[in-house]
Amino acid sequence: MTTELITQDLVELDLVGTDRQAVLRDLAERLVAAGRVTDLDRFLADVEAREQQMPTGLEGGIGIPHCRSAAVTAPSLAFGRSASGVDFGAADGPAKLIFLIAAPEGGDEDHLTVLAALARRLVRAEFKQTLLEATDAAQLAKYVREEVTP
């Protein structure tokens, strides 16, 4: 049985945190609770190390923090939406849509496939609008799965 990339419990429609670390911790805790990450601190350190190489903010209010980590048990995608926005280093300002991609240490291809699929969808206004307007976590997870799962 393969694990779904994103499920309802990995979606937060109203992130409380206002800085990158708080938001990443919130999303990472969801991955831990779902059994997809075994060591929260190690995973967050790996995400932060990746952020230090190059910010993961994209134009249009998007953040795609991601990493490969030995703490990850299955390729996973957690999603959070922030009303106030969170700084992920994009030139045009804070991210309102945040996708945390977690890949197992040996999972280069899966991680890049998800990243590429997500990037292609995020240039479409209708994809972003659906994410901004979603009111149901289960529906949002299903929509993202259908759009980005190869």
Side-chain angles (χ1 to χ4, degrees), residues 49-106:
R50 173 61 189 82
E51 282 291 316
Q52 294 307 317
Q53 291 173 8
M54 178 188 287
T56 56
L58 302 177
E59 284 187 18
I62 311 293
I64 309 184
H66 57 279
C67 75
R68 290 182 305 276
S69 173
V72 176
T73 61
S76 302
L77 179 62
F79 170 79
R81 189 171 64 202
S82 169
S84 57
V86 178
D87 185 6
F88 275 89
D92 68 340
K96 292 187 185 266
L97 303 175
I98 297 137
F99 293 90
L100 176 56
I101 301 174
E105 207 160 39

Side-chain angles (χ1 to χ4, degrees), residues 30-47:
R30 289 175 173 276
L31 293 168
V32 170
R36 294 163 180 252
V37 168
T38 56
D39 181 334
L40 178 65
D41 292 332
R42 178 170 186 176
F43 177 67
L44 286 171
D46 290 340
V47 173

